[in-house]
Amino acid sequence: MELLNTSNITMKFGGLTAVKELNLEINKGEIVALIGPNGAGKTTAFNMITGVYAPTSGRIFLGESDITGAKPHLITKKGLARTFQNIRLFKELSVLDNVFIANHLHLKSNIFEAVLHLPRYKKEKKSILEKSLFLLEKLDLLSFKEDKAKNLPYGMQRRLEIARALATNPQILLLDEPAAGMNPRETDNLTSFIKDIRDEFELTIFLIEHHMSVVMGISDRIYVLDHGVTIAVGNPYEIQNDQRVIEAYLGVSEDA
Amino acid sequence: GCSEKAPTGGGATTDDDVIKIGVFEPITGANAAGGALEVEGAQLANKLYPEVLGKKVELVIADNKSDVVEAASAAARLVERDKVVAIIGSWGSSYSMAAGDIVRNQKVPAVAASATNPLVTLDNDFYFRVCFLDPFQGTVMANYAYNNLGARKVAIIREVNNDYAVGLAKFFEDAFVELTGDANAILEVTNYNTGDQDFSSQLLNISQKNPDVIFAPGNFTESALIIKQAKQLGIDIPFIGGDTWETPEFIDIGQQDVEGAVFSTFFTSEVPITSESEIFLKEYRAQYGKEPAAVTALGYDAYLVILDAIERAGSTDPEKIRDEIAKTKNFPGAAGIITLDENGDAVKSAVIKVVRNGEFVYLDTIEPIE
Amino acid sequence: MKKRDIILTIISISVLILFLMFANSRFDSYQIRILNLCAIYTILGLSMNLINGFTGLFSLGHAGFMAIGAYVTALLTMPAAVKNQNFFLQPIVPWLENVTVPFLPALLIGGIMAAILAFIIGAPVLRLRGDYLAIATLGFSEIIRIVFTNTQNITNGALGLKSIPNTTNLWWSFGLAALTIIFMLSLINSSYGKALKAIREDEIAAESMGIGLFRHKMLAFVIGAFFAGVGGGLLGNLLGAINPVMFRFILTFNVLLIIVLGGMGSITGTVISAFVVTSGLEYLRVLDESINLGFVRLPGIPGLRMVVFSSLLMIVVIFFRNGLMGTNEFSWDGLFALLRKRPSFLKREVGR
Amino acid sequence: MLKIENLCVAYGYVEALKGITLNVEEGKIVTLIGANGAGKSTTLKAIVGLAKAKSGSITYQGKNLLQEETKNMVRNGITLVPEGRRVFSNLSVLENLKIGAFYRKDTKKIEEDLEWIYELFPKLKERTWQQAGTLSGGEQQMLAVGRALMSRPKLLMMDEPSLGLAPLIVKEIFNIIKEIHKQGVTILLIEQNANAALKIADEAYVLETGTITIKGTGSELLKDDEIKKAYLGESHG
Amino acid sequence: MSFSLFMQHLTNGISLGSLYALIAIGYTMVYGILRLINFAHGEIFMMSLYFAFYGVAIFAMPWYVSFIVTVIITCMLGMLVERAAYKTLRDSPRITVMVSAIGASFFLQNLAVVLFGGRPKAFPTVQIFTDVIKIGTVSLQRLTLIIPVATIMLLYSLLYLVNKTKTGMAMRAVSKDHETARLMGVDVNRTITITFGIGSILAAFGGIMWGMKFPQIQPFMGVMPGLKCFIAAVIGGVGNIYGAVIGGFILGIGEIMLVAMLPQLTGYRDAFAFVLLIVILLLKPTGIMGEKISEKV
Ligand SMILES: Nc1ncnc2c1ncn2[C@@H]1O[C@H](COP(=O)(O)OP(=O)(O)OP(=O)(O)O)[C@@H](O)[C@H]1O
Ligand SMILES: Nc1ncnc2c1ncn2[C@@H]1O[C@H](COP(=O)(O)OP(=O)(O)OP(=O)(O)O)[C@@H](O)[C@H]1O
Ligand SMILES: [Mg+2]
Ligand SMILES: [Mg+2]
């Protein structure tokens, strides 16, 4: 079943066409990767899908609903969450609060109930807390729950970002270069971790990555962009042997 | 300061050999200039008459910072901390108004030198003033415009965020309309704000209506600039104004352009009204080497009125002093004979002056209307 | 909360009430006035801290909201006779003339009017960022002031209002300050409060986590304006006289100063700082007075107080970049830790 | 050439470096690897004076660097390519390169060096007048390296130059590092891509939570089992 | 409105606008480099008027000497203010710096009260500048012709400085990233000091022109021009030097024309600046010529 679908989305910045007529089809439960040279428009594609930018043209569908140009928070409410290429945690807040906040969008109590601690809010708060702690435990972050996010080592910050994204109850998770700044060893761990959370939370995953070990290891399908144009779509094997991809992106193989 | 040592709270034990009088003025902030003028007067009076009832009189100066919130605190401090028996001030009716409740509740009399807003003394038995009110001044200038300048159509340019200017403009307008019997005698009322420096478009607008006279109540700096700019724009209509103009800076800034500007004020040095005027003038010139402003004379008078009341009361009890201040009648002050009416306002004559050869020149004295 | 903490909290509240009773009967009106001002500035500080400190919006429009609160409260509590006395140049509009309501509803209406205005202003302005928001809100507050100056038959224009009933007393000001503190604490620790902090930390991330930026910013802005209005109302009825000139930018700055010195994003800091700054500024009055050294009498230098105050201010800002409390809050644990000389109480992050 | 002894650096209460000792000899490529947050960037920042040392010493050609201000480092021949490129986004490519030679007065030589950079990175030449902020990640990284080279450094320090770059560009960057090294520049390199870094390094240090745990030549470390397990990952065994 | 009246209004508007523009450039300059609203700019402007006044009135210097000295002293004052109020706060939260800036501005105001007294003084005008001449039916001061020319000249020298010189390049680099600029051997503190110095020189030029057009000085006179010129800078796009000039002209001409066209709104004249500001910000959130700041995610 198709979960995310874009039809001919295009993004122009002034004279520059960052993404041109991109057509994505991502099915439920898949892990799909988006790769391409620097500046190919991968992050821009993410930003269009998540509502940070409104596409210049084209439409985006999440399940049945048209989310083109919707505000990011509404898109998140519909079940699409993301992480960022440059980590964007709430730096001064505690690890627990970072995850807690990501539950706010589903809060039903209004502000008066919250300020006055009325029963509905109390109940909701309790369940949010439980869920947050559960997520932290799942991601091995429980022992840091009181620390400020900015004091975590980089790798853990990346994990916290994923935990935070998971807290919004997404159906589909977008990861922008989750392995950036990790060493090969950590990168390997990440690969299995992504598979795990996909199974555990019944997610669909769409990721951008430059580490081929990750991409080739977990992707069901891969889209390749170059200068905003989709130059190839296929499974890892097909992509690795696609001449255009090798020329534009991978280089002659000598084991990346 | 020394005043800190006085025990606070409980039964007040004031220093036995000094009597403290508060001077409640804007020392800093936007109205510092006016405050300084009044302080000069009070200090000069204190220097000349340092004693009453055989005790030394000490002035306690409290800065109201040209700010209403601060003004209330400063007044409260004078009353509670410094245990003053009476207060002089403040320049700027709004600060006086902010102190109004405090002096009334704590029963300490206050005498404003130049606060001309009727609200200051209205319904407050403890606030007095030694100057006349805006309604009188408005009438005086309307009469002058009508009779002496033969004006039948007038335009007004007023400082809209200044209570004094707004009030004076209104009283002038009423009086002038009554004099002419012409409901449209005021061609236009145009506004500016304190601190504005460009008035060219306002001036061009009113000059288009060809008024006989322009009445411009407001702060002296802005007023001087207004007249200056009018001349630069080739507008040749006489300007008249109120007592605030009588400061040396009005002429410094306006220079030859303010020649011929006419305004009403409290007092003139050319025609000393009382013997006190002569003493004041002599001492002021000796000390400062220049001509005093009217408000300085009024600050001087506020001090004297209080001193006189203490003397008559024979006591430093603020309430008794208040009662005596209220009875002030025909008191010879530097700026004229002072009689306080039932509101606590001075009923006195106004003086009309003109700027001539870079100096303020006396034109006429207008007696109060009964 | 731990049992110990509950007991300690109850004890301190009782001590405060006893202190207020004592102050009411034994303090002179000057001291009571300063205490009142401290409490009012606490309310104002907290309201601004919600907007600027917790939500990270750079708003400089506080004086405008205070003006609304002050004028509405004053006009609603003044009896018709007093109003007519005030409006001697131009009569007051008839619909305002005869409405007189008790203090509390008047304060609430004042707060609500400020909140409504904030809502109207917020719709366009909250789209702006950083300095632009700052200058736009400053502009709105100036516009409010200028409108008040020019609508003479509603506000009495430049003449201002006087003889406003002196209803504000220690019970009102401290009572409302306490309610404000409780409200803010409860808000800040709720899910909504955390969402506001998330916006302060990173707008883009917050939005991507499903937090509607506009709605939440508006929430903070409107609630902040409400309390600013209430604070303004208390202030007007404490002073007994108000006018438009009083609500200049400097008033906003005084409040801003309090929250910056106390620590942006710290409720405790704001409370402490409101008391320190308000009473400290009064204490500095000594500098303007003549000083008697026994043998000589040094004349006071008028204005020196403000010079000293502004330099003290800069020094404090320079040495406590994040304010006295940073984003930390008081807690009994923290206090005990401090007493045991552990540095964790006032731990400041370096290199922020 | 560069000697670090017992260097300790703390950010408030966080101890980032707990006494490291490290040596860079002239003409070598030295690499520093380690997990995230181990303190690699902090080491480089301490050398150029952007992080304050609590104790220990840093000497460069006999000179005490701890006394030296950051702005004078380039004059001494030390240049850092900072983590995350940090090109001046509001300056054009050319201006970014020129500011690399900010302290230099030899206008003629600067022109020659500019040509040299354009030879190394032909892509930059195409974009001379473009605002640096609009370059792609890879191009920005090249610009950052080019900008550093314009100061004619004797010691070039690079903080994760391959971060976030496409595989093709990563290869290119490593080739350029080798090329620069051939021209006589000493290099101190921080890399997450331990594999590639160790391959070109003469000498390597492993940093773990603020202390140096292993040192050796690049090829030694490549074969080290510990290293393989901790940093290189299985797919590179 | 007759044509000649309109021309007179327009002339007045241009004359006021060019003064606003002149001061606005100083704001923009500092903002562009430091991303800091230099709230003390209005006060530096005010101080420059006092320097010129004392030069002529007390030290009896000829006006041109006094004006040159004024520019130099004001420049030094600006650098001093930067040292005291901003340098120590280089890496602090923005709002702290803002408070320090406002603090510095209050400090200068109060210092002026203590040093020079609160009473206004008359600025020494120079006849050859202030004489009124008539062009057709329009009467104007010679100054009115000089100010726009001076503004345009300063505009172009600044543009040259910022875009074409090494110092200018350093300034722009510093505006983006202090640390990296330092790494490149740029003396960040010196660059910032120079920026403040130049900003203050502009304030002094503005001050002298202002003083001759509106010959009165008092300690609080910097507030309103300061605010208005800052608004002019924001309207034009703060950080953009052309923008400041455009903003200044729009504001000056707009203010005059508002009163000319709608005389019943004179009381709201000061609100005009703010209304215009808000309207423009809503249409173009970073001002007319402001760079579009879309954060890259
Ligand atoms: N907000 C923006 N304004 C102007 N140009 C932009 C903006 N965002 C991205 N671009 C441009 O769009 C192009 C694509 O950028 P994008 O960030 O999507 O690349 P990417 O594929 O994610 O590259 P990388 O792998 O380096 O992250 C680039 O040329 C970039 O400079
Ligand atoms: N400005 C700072 N304030 C507080 N702590 C910091 C700061 N900068 C770094 N740290 C901490 O110092 C430690 C070392 O950081 P450093 O940046 O040197 O690590 P690194 O080895 O370069 O890691 P990475 O691979 O993420 O670049 C980390 O724990 C980090 O959280
Ligand atoms: Mg990207
Ligand atoms: Mg690093």
Side-chain angles (χ1 to χ4, degrees), chain E residues 104-149:
Chain E
S105 116
F106 283 173
F107 177 80
L108 289 175
Q109 280 170 15
N110 290 302
L111 189 73
V113 171
V114 171
L115 291 182
F116 312 130
R119 302 180 61 164
K121 297 191 178 351
F123 189 81
T125 46
V126 179
Q127 278 286 317
I128 46 168
F129 293 138
T130 54
D131 273 347
V132 179
I133 51 175
K134 263 191 155 329
I135 299 178
T137 56
V138 176
S139 57
L140 44 83
Q141 287 181 306
R142 272 208 200 96
L143 201 61
T144 307
L145 299 174
I146 298 171
I147 299 172
V149 177

Side-chain angles (χ1 to χ4, degrees), chain A residues 150-155 157 181, chain C residues 349-351, chain D residues 11-12 14-17 34-43 45 83 159-160 190 192 207:
Chain A
K150 68 167 184 184
N151 289 340
L152 290 187
Y154 185 90
Q157 292 194 12
Chain C
E349 294 301 328
V350 178
Chain D
Y11 299 102
V14 185
E15 276 216 332
L17 292 180
N36 290 124
K40 305 179 298 293
S41 302
T42 304
T43 309
K45 282 189 193 164
E83 193 168 13
D159 197 345
E160 300 197 32
I190 289 186
Q192 287 291 354
L207 198 56

Side-chain angles (χ1 to χ4, degrees), chain C residues 68-85:
Chain C
I68 306 249
Y71 267 93
V72 170
T73 312
L75 285 169
L76 288 181
T77 50
M78 286 160 80
V82 176
K83 278 181 214 169
N84 287 326
Q85 215 174 53

Side-chain angles (χ1 to χ4, degrees), chain D residues 1-3 22-26 28 30 155 186-188:
Chain D
M1 185 176 211
L2 180 78
K3 248 203 179 89
L22 177 155
N23 204 349
V24 180
E25 271 169 54
E26 185 141 17
K28 294 268 165 71
V30 177
L155 173 63
T186 311
I187 288 170
L188 176 55

